[in-house]
Amino acid sequence: MNERIKRLRELSVDTAPSVSPERARLVTEYYRSTEGEGLSEPVRRAQVFRHIMANKELYMDPDEMIVGERGPAPKAAPTFPEICVHSMEDLEMLDSREKIPYSVDDDTREIFENEIIPFWRGRSQRERIFGVMADDWLKAYEAGIFTEFMEQRGPGHTVLGDKIYRKGFVDIRNDIANSLEGLDKADPNYSKKAEELKAMDIATDALLRYAKRYADKLKDMAIVENDPSRKANLQLMASICEKVPANPPETFREALQYYWFVHVGVITELNPWDAFNPGRLDQHLYPYYRKEMDEGSLTEEQARELLQALWIKFNNHPAPPKVGVTAKESATYTDFALINLGGLKPDGTDGVNELTYLILDVIEEMRLIQPSTMVQVSSENPDGFLKRAIDIIKTGFGQPSVFNTDAIIQELRLQGKGLEDARAGGASGCVEAGAFGKEAYILTGYFNLPKVAEITLNNGLDPQTGIMVGIDTGDPASFDSFDEFFEAFGKQLNHFIDVKIEGNLAIERMYAQHLPVPFLSLLIDDCVEKGMDYHEGGARYNTSYIQGVGLGTVTDTLTSVKVNVFEEKKVGMHGLLEALKNDFRDNEGLRDTFVNQTPKYGNDDDVADDVMKLIFEAFFTAVDGRPNTRGGEHRINLLPTTVHVYFGSVTGALPDGRRAGEPLSEGISPAQGRDRNGPTSVLKSAGKIDHIRTGGTLLNQKFTPQLLADRKGIDSLAWLIRAYFRMNGHHIQLNVVTADTLREAQLHPEKHRGLIVRVAGYSDYFVDLTKGLQDEIIERTEHSET
Amino acid sequence: MFLKGCPLGCLWCHNPEGIAPGLDEFGRIISVQELMTEIEKDRPFMDESAGGVTLSGGEPLSQPEFLVSMMRQCRDSGIHISLDTCGHAPADAFDATLDLVDLYLYDLKFMDDELHRRYTGVSNGLVIRNCKKLDELDRKTLIRFPVIPEITGTAENIRDIGDFISSLNNIKTVDLLPFHRTAEGKYERMGIENQLKGVDPPSEDDVAIAKRILGGYGLEVLVGGSA
């Protein structure tokens, strides 16, 4: 990278995240000044948005090539008090905590104490939600059976399609006017639609003003700039900001700037989960790249530099600071904007192009935690593309992850999406499948499957608190068969899903009513056409997800009950419950049977994997197809982010031999250390999940960098991935093992049984090597990390 | 797939658990049918990589009937077979594999019979006979030569190996396998003496020299399977 990019990158990486009061202040100011004016909620929200965009500070570094920041400076993260007010204690915690801190200066504290908190206390969305949730919901939430995504961030998880490359905001304004004109006054929803469209128009104006302010500022800066190349850059940027977003982009650079303006708009209007995301970046930008390369108006180096500038922009924007359980379970600065590369074109042909490879170079060179990146791999895509991605993966910063395009398309088709919409889609956030630009697919919360097993074993009672959180499904000691036990598990599961969905419906309505998003609605088809907000069901497709967590742990748990209690009768139900209550103290022999002599998920063993399929079926049936309030349906996916640690902390000892408080298995991976037959067996077990009926599954696999030292290693990994994808696997994330992980494996071999390392041309289980050899590999791994 | 039992006793053996025949904590009895079920589990990976089954040990030819019977089933199921062998097997047992194996991974250690006896415990007569048979019938074969410092890795032995391979008509590739210490933990756990304990792997220079010598015979030389 050149000096300019290097400097901007360093600034982005070295700046510590901080809390900015700017947005909260502007929002509060506006709400206060318009109190009692009787505005419709969409119009009020649009005006709030315009007030922010018209008054927020314009950050500009003289070396920048793309302009726009959510805060007044890089890494300055705003808060969204209309959703969640940070208390003084929250601010203190953010400022002082060891991991993922956000600095809070004295001025900010003062503003919060005197202006923000007094105004919003009692009127934020978070308080509204906790205020109306039913008792069952609150009990389950507090027991850690599920989490709630919308209690401090807005529904998001959405990705832009190709709209901004076809239409300028002037065109979108015309569409809004046409839509308004076409409304039927006899429609009982006429006034609602009219207000929403009016709000959308205000929202377009907000972004146009923001761009105009930048154009003016850049012109002013150009006048006083003496350095001729900087001056030229400022003048060029001023003219770009005059052109987009008002008009459709005509150059590569205009396209990037247009996207970035829109991005800043979406993440300023509210704080949607997963920020915002250009989606299929190589597909959208390739026509500009090709045309300008052919004309000679763009060089590869210039394109690379502009992409690098975009990467820095993403990295400048840490996730908005969270509070409470969500802060605990989602401990990361990453905001999950996931850029998709490769995959298919809408006509079903190979989408990989030169720009795809150029973007992969950028990912490798920038080595930033944001944006997240992934490759979509279809059977139509060349192996060279997958192998280039593996080349980058092996450098060990967790990117890009690898997705199965053919599975994603089947998943989306099964949910009723059109073929072209499915092909133009992909995955966002962690692994969630979506029809980009056309779908509001909202993750509503993680669901703790092993906890449901624990509650079934205790007939509805949570043994951690003694509180009755579930329903009476009978004393398990009275059950004569595993079928009876599983039926009870199914009833508890259905009960908690009912409670969760009831909560989801109420919360969806609250967002539609109190926090519509007219700006985001401009960007997602068919909100403008329908005159309906994104939160109301304006998108073409509307999905609500519940994310199952702990599939490996719950499978091993139920398998152990089936085998050890009912089939082989190695332990009675009373004995089992006693052992669990005591966390296996004085009962290590039983625990050994559970851990070492009972079939486990992840070993291609049908005894365990058949139980997994039963659980999948029960979870799927409980959720899939249940209507939401937006004209769509609930679906499942299987992913944890980092919640398996929090969920583990609230779950006691389980019949799989897991001790109380230990993390649950993550994603669809086997429980930690329970896979003992190598990676092919893990993939075979995971391949037995019916991925196509989910909206995404997450599989992590670890390997040491030495395993991929040569071509042969990379080829083998590519084959492994292709084979998993033939089994319809949705996603695989390959993590390079760090020296720290190896040290941890040295100390706790039982948790790392499956970890394979490459030793001098041979591979072996790490835990089986001598201490000396382990040390040597740790040293080598450490070496390759630096 | 590792079959138990080996007629040799090489000092540098990295699978010492495979040497003793018969059932112990490292082995289990399995029928051909059960084994085929296990192999079929990996079908998706074999299909994708055009891979198959590699039979090793121990010495797979120390269980000739089982070996031939399972290899027949693999052939009938279209599964690629690689046989990793020391070549020390009676002619009739060895010849029974000739139409079943897709790729031989064939070890040569010493051309000098005296040295061969000293370090492996057996004569190299059968090893040479069987190797010539493979060459004569032009079976796909990769010669594998373990480079053990000061044992097989002497310049003289390397030249002997070069002389022999270059005298063959069809076999032209040799893969160097530098000594490594992966097995130290196994020796410790099994409580058996590891006579090469503490011996360092050959240096990169040593391997490069071996590669150059053999290259001088016009052979294609790989190291650990890579060019």
Side-chain angles (χ1 to χ4, degrees):
Chain A
M1 70 191 83
N2 63 30
E3 286 307 313
R4 157 147 93 177
I5 293 294
K6 203 183 261 174
R7 194 183 73 77
L8 290 171
R9 183 185 181 282
E10 267 166 28
L11 181 73
S12 180
V13 170
D14 295 345
T15 304
S18 59
V19 173
S20 158
E22 181 188 57
R23 183 188 179 283
R25 204 174 195 180
L26 289 168
V27 170
T28 309
E29 192 176 279
Y30 198 81
Y31 267 85
R32 186 172 277 140
S33 74
T34 57
E35 251 175 321
E37 274 187 24
L39 298 170
S40 74
E41 214 50 60
V43 167
R44 175 150 69 155
R45 290 301 303 167
Q47 289 183 355
V48 168
F49 177 61
R50 186 165 60 186
H51 184 66
I52 302 169
M53 300 312 268
N55 292 287
K56 72 195 290 305
E57 207 173 298
L58 298 182
Y59 175 79
M60 176 69 214
D61 183 289
D63 278 343
E64 280 196 307
M65 309 181 72
I66 297 172
V67 294
E69 285 284 329
R70 174 171 57 181
K75 296 279 188 81
T79 68
F80 298 76
E82 60 269 55
I83 294 190
C84 166
V85 211
H86 287 71
S87 67
M88 294 310 284
E89 296 75 42
D90 290 331
L91 295 177
E92 180 53 38
M93 192 262 290
L94 286 169
D95 187 54
S96 61
R97 72 183 175 197
E98 197 183 324
K99 295 256 170 78
I100 321 290
Y102 291 76
S103 70
V104 186
D105 63 23
D106 289 345
D107 282 354
T108 303
R109 280 174 217 248
E110 213 184 295
I111 293 167
F112 269 83
E113 189 160 25
N114 299 328
E115 296 176 35
I116 316 294
I117 298 173
F119 182 81
W120 288 104
R121 182 166 283 157
R123 23 194 332 182
S124 73
Q125 183 81 335
R126 185 162 200 258
E127 289 159 291
R128 219 177 265 139
I129 288 171
F130 286 115
V132 305
M133 287 295 111
D135 192 41
D136 276 350
W137 189 97
L138 290 167
K139 275 197 294 187
Y141 175 81
E142 274 153 27
I145 289 161
F146 50 69
T147 65
E148 175 49 58
F149 263 45
M150 253 64 76
E151 45 95 8
Q152 53 185 290
R153 295 195 69 172
H157 311 282
T158 197
V159 181
L160 190 61
D162 64 357
K163 186 167 185 173
I164 65 166
Y165 310 99
R166 292 183 284 107
K167 289 182 185 224
F169 266 45
V170 172
D171 302 315
I172 295 175
R173 266 193 132 150
N174 285 334
D175 291 345
I176 295 168
N178 288 336
S179 204
L180 198 56
E181 206 167 299
L183 287 184
D184 174 4
K185 291 203 168 134
D187 180 345
N189 287 320
Y190 169 78
S191 64
K192 198 172 175 186
K193 287 180 181 173
E195 285 299 306
E196 176 69 28
L197 288 165
K198 222 192 286 174
M200 289 181 186
D201 186 67
I202 296 167
T204 55
D205 185 46
L207 196 73
L208 289 169
R209 283 197 197 188
Y210 182 61
K212 176 75 172 58
R213 289 177 65 212
Y214 258 113
D216 292 345
K217 183 183 170 90
L218 289 161
K219 273 189 261 179
D220 290 348
M221 286 172 76
I223 290 167
V224 296
E225 177 63 60
N226 293 322
D227 179 282
S229 87
R230 276 186 175 170
K231 196 184 188 81
N233 181 46
L234 291 166
Q235 282 165 339
L236 176 59
M237 275 198 291
S239 70
I240 290 172
C241 293
E242 278 176 338
K243 171 127 175 238
V244 295
N247 304 289
E250 285 178 289
T251 67
F252 191 76
R253 186 165 181 176
E254 287 167 8
L256 289 173
Q257 180 63 63
Y258 188 171
Y259 173 73
W260 190 252
F261 274 140
V262 159
H263 184 99
V264 170
V266 171
I267 65 173
T268 301
E269 180 180 40
L270 268 192
N271 58 354
W273 274 103
D274 301 339
F276 198 49
N277 174 357
R280 307 283 298 275
L281 193 63
D282 57 344
Q283 306 303 303
H284 297 316
L285 293 181
Y286 185 64
Y288 302 96
Y289 178 80
R290 184 73 274 146
K291 177 173 147 265
E292 281 192 90
M293 289 289 280
D294 290 346
E295 289 170 1
S297 57
L298 180 78
T299 66
E300 192 183 302
E301 278 324 297
Q302 287 169 332
R304 186 189 305 269
E305 190 183 20
L306 287 163
L307 288 163
Q308 290 172 334
L310 180 69
W311 253 242
I312 290 164
K313 278 292 171 193
F314 274 101
N315 199 63
N316 282 351
H317 291 78
K322 299 161 191 143
V323 302
V325 166
T326 305
K328 238 190 275 176
E329 56 89 357
S330 182
T332 173
Y333 288 129
T334 299
D335 211 6
F336 298 100
L338 181 65
I339 287 176
N340 286 226
L341 299 175
L344 298 180
K345 297 181 197 165
D347 67 2
T349 57
D350 176 17
V352 173
N353 57 47
E354 283 161 70
L355 188 59
T356 314
Y357 288 100
L358 184 64
I359 297 175
L360 285 169
D361 290 348
V362 168
I363 294 166
E364 185 175 38
E365 202 180 355
M366 294 310 278
R367 245 185 130 75
L368 291 168
I369 65 159
Q370 297 203 84
S372 295
T373 54
M374 64 89 121
V375 289
Q376 283 197 28
V377 179
S378 154
S379 55
E380 300 286 327
N381 296 133
D383 278 342
F385 166 57
L386 174 57
K387 289 177 188 174
R388 174 72 185 108
I390 296 173
D391 267 341
I392 300 171
I393 291 167
K394 79 173 186 188
T395 65
F397 71 114
Q399 292 197 38
S401 51
V402 187
F403 284 77
N404 181 357
T405 302
D406 306 320
I408 289 174
I409 291 172
Q410 287 188 69
E411 291 158 18
L412 295 173
R413 293 285 286 150
L414 185 68
Q415 296 177 354
K417 277 128 187 162
L419 182 59
E420 289 207 356
D421 289 352
R423 283 176 177 159
S428 65
C430 289
V431 297
E432 301 88 272
F436 292 174
K438 300 176 174 71
E439 183 173 15
Y441 48 119
I442 292 168
L443 275 64
T444 66
Y446 296 116
F447 191 84
N448 188 343
L449 292 164
K451 184 83 191 171
V452 176
E454 185 184 29
I455 283 165
T456 310
L457 282 164
N458 291 279
N459 192 14
L461 203 78
D462 180 3
Q464 306 310 306
T465 57
I467 296 173
M468 185 73 186
V469 295
I471 51 174
D472 183 342
T473 47
D475 176 2
S478 70
F479 297 159
D480 294 325
S481 67
F482 177 70
D483 288 350
E484 257 180 85
F485 180 83
F486 192 79
E487 198 186 319
F489 172 80
K491 283 180 188 159
Q492 298 285 359
L493 177 69
N494 278 302
H495 165 71
F496 288 121
I497 293 293
D498 287 349
V499 170
K500 175 66 180 156
I501 288 181
E502 198 186 317
N504 287 352
L505 301 180
I507 293 169
E508 280 186 3
R509 280 189 212 103
M510 280 189 232
Y511 271 94
Q513 190 185 339
H514 300 286
L515 291 168
V517 277
F519 182 74
L520 177 57
S521 303
L522 299 173
L523 305 166
I524 304 298
D525 297 340
D526 305 309
C527 297
V528 173
E529 291 74 5
K530 290 197 224 167
M532 197 188 268
D533 195 84
Y534 178 88
H535 287 173
E536 183 100 44
R540 185 172 304 167
Y541 307 111
N542 291 281
T543 312
S544 302
Y545 281 105
I546 297 176
Q547 308 100 259
V549 175
L551 187 69
T553 301
V554 71
T555 297
D556 294 350
T557 292
L558 264 53
T559 304
S560 179
V561 170
K562 180 174 197 264
V563 171
N564 294 315
V565 178
F566 291 108
E567 288 173 1
E568 296 176 9
K569 303 196 187 331
K570 286 183 179 162
V571 61
M573 194 57 85
H574 282 302
L576 173 68
L577 291 173
E578 201 55 32
L580 298 180
K581 198 168 118 196
N582 295 322
D583 202 12
F584 300 109
R585 272 188 305 276
D586 312 321
N587 227 332
E588 287 299 325
L590 188 63
R591 181 171 179 267
D592 184 70
T593 302
F594 292 167
V595 172
N596 294 312
Q597 290 164 50
T598 307
K600 296 283 187 312
Y601 169 74
N603 295 286
D604 196 13
D605 179 335
D606 279 336
V607 174
D609 294 348
D610 285 348
V611 172
M612 178 277 288
K613 288 198 222 169
L614 274 179
I615 297 166
F616 176 90
E617 213 54 47
F619 181 49
F620 176 84
T621 311
V623 175
D624 191 78
R626 306 273 297 270
N628 60 26
T629 64
R630 299 174 289 123
E633 291 168 329
H634 280 82
R635 311 274 182 206
I636 61 162
N637 51 28
L638 297 165
L639 70 101
T641 315
T642 53
V643 79
H644 59 293
V645 177
Y646 162 68
F647 275 171
S649 74
V650 297
T651 306
L654 290 174
D656 66 338
R658 173 189 153 286
R659 291 186 200 276
E662 288 183 353
L664 308 179
S665 61
E666 56 84 36
I668 55 167
S669 302
Q672 294 78 352
R674 303 292 162 80
D675 54 314
R676 300 179 178 185
N677 275 344
T680 55
S681 295
V682 174
L683 297 185
K684 281 292 299 291
S685 281
K688 291 175 200 172
I689 297 171
D690 194 353
H691 299 261
I692 302 304
R693 288 194 288 160
T694 75
T697 62
L698 184 147
L699 180 64
N700 268 309
Q701 283 279 282
K702 291 197 180 87
F703 64 91
T704 51
Q706 295 86 15
L707 217 50
L708 295 176
D710 56 17
R711 253 8 277 176
K712 222 164 108 182
I714 290 176
D715 287 351
S716 306
L717 193 60
W719 291 327
L720 212 62
I721 293 169
R722 291 277 195 191
Y724 181 54
F725 285 1
R726 268 161 69 134
M727 295 181 257
N728 285 331
H730 173 88
H731 152 276
I732 185 165
Q733 162 92 42
L734 303 153
N735 292 300
V736 174
V737 170
T738 61
D740 281 345
T741 307
L742 295 175
R743 279 194 203 97
E744 148 71 24
Q746 218 172 19
L747 287 176
H748 303 288
E750 70 284 356
K751 289 182 185 158
H752 301 271
R753 289 283 341 163
L755 184 61
I756 293 177
V757 294
R758 187 140 177 106
V759 202
Y762 291 86
S763 298
D764 206 340
Y765 289 105
F766 180 77
V767 299
D768 286 345
L769 301 174
T770 56
K771 168 99 175 30
L773 205 53
Q774 288 180 344
D775 288 342
E776 193 183 312
I777 290 171
I778 290 171
E779 201 177 305
R780 234 195 293 159
T781 305
E782 200 141 60
H783 181 71
S784 69
E785 281 167 22
T786 53
Chain B
M1 237 262 301
F2 298 96
L3 286 89
K4 269 182 72 69
C6 182
L8 274 59
C10 308
L11 293 187
W12 55 86
C13 183
H14 72 262
N15 282 345
E17 70 277 19
I19 297 174
L23 196 60
D24 55 28
E25 60 176 307
F26 302 110
R28 62 178 167 127
I29 299 209
I30 189 166
S31 70
V32 170
Q33 225 31 64
E34 285 166 334
L35 181 60
M36 291 310 294
T37 306
E38 280 300 311
I39 289 172
E40 283 294 341
K41 284 185 175 178
D42 274 348
R43 177 69 86 168
F45 306 101
M46 295 190 282
D47 282 355
E48 200 56 58
S49 62
V53 175
T54 301
L55 299 157
S56 182
E59 168 49 56
L61 277 158
S62 61
Q63 299 187 46
E65 284 168 33
F66 179 88
L67 183 69
V68 164
S69 160
M70 67 97 34
M71 290 201 302
R72 268 206 192 105
Q73 294 227 18
C74 284
R75 185 193 56 189
D76 294 347
S77 312
I79 294 168
H80 182 281
I81 287 280
S82 297
L83 182 66
D84 179 6
T85 176
C86 70
H88 182 78
D92 52 343
F94 190 82
D95 292 354
T97 68
L98 288 168
D99 292 328
L100 298 170
V101 173
D102 297 291
L103 170 67
Y104 285 90
L105 304 171
Y106 198 95
D107 282 13
L108 286 181
K109 299 172 178 100
F110 298 96
M111 299 319 297
D112 181 297
D113 196 39
E114 172 54 32
L115 290 174
H116 203 276
R117 283 171 196 270
R118 188 186 310 162
Y119 287 107
T120 73
V122 302
S123 157
N124 63 11
L126 286 171
V127 179
I128 290 168
R129 181 268 169 198
N130 291 335
C131 189
K132 285 182 172 161
K133 189 78 184 175
L134 290 177
D135 187 58
E136 187 188 313
L137 297 178
D138 195 13
R139 291 295 182 260
K140 197 171 168 196
T141 305
L142 178 65
I143 301 288
R144 309 224 283 184
F145 174 59
V147 183
I148 318 297
E150 294 172 31
I151 301 180
T152 63
T154 64
E156 195 181 356
N157 187 46
I158 295 170
R159 278 196 293 273
D160 287 350
I161 296 276
D163 280 332
F164 174 72
I165 304 175
S166 59
S167 75
L168 299 173
N169 295 317
N170 295 308
I171 299 174
K172 290 291 168 223
T173 309
V174 57
D175 185 13
L176 305 183
L177 303 179
F179 173 68
H180 58 79
R181 292 161 53 187
T182 320
E184 274 185 10
K186 295 185 188 173
Y187 280 95
E188 268 173 35
R189 272 200 306 283
M190 291 171 68
I192 53 177
E193 193 193 352
N194 176 4
Q195 296 187 54
L196 298 191
K197 189 174 164 65
V199 171
D200 284 325
S203 67
E204 280 184 26
D205 280 352
D206 291 345
V207 175
I209 290 167
K211 192 172 175 179
R212 201 161 57 235
I213 296 175
L214 289 167
Y217 288 90
L219 303 174
E220 183 192 4
V221 188
L222 311 176
V223 178
S226 309

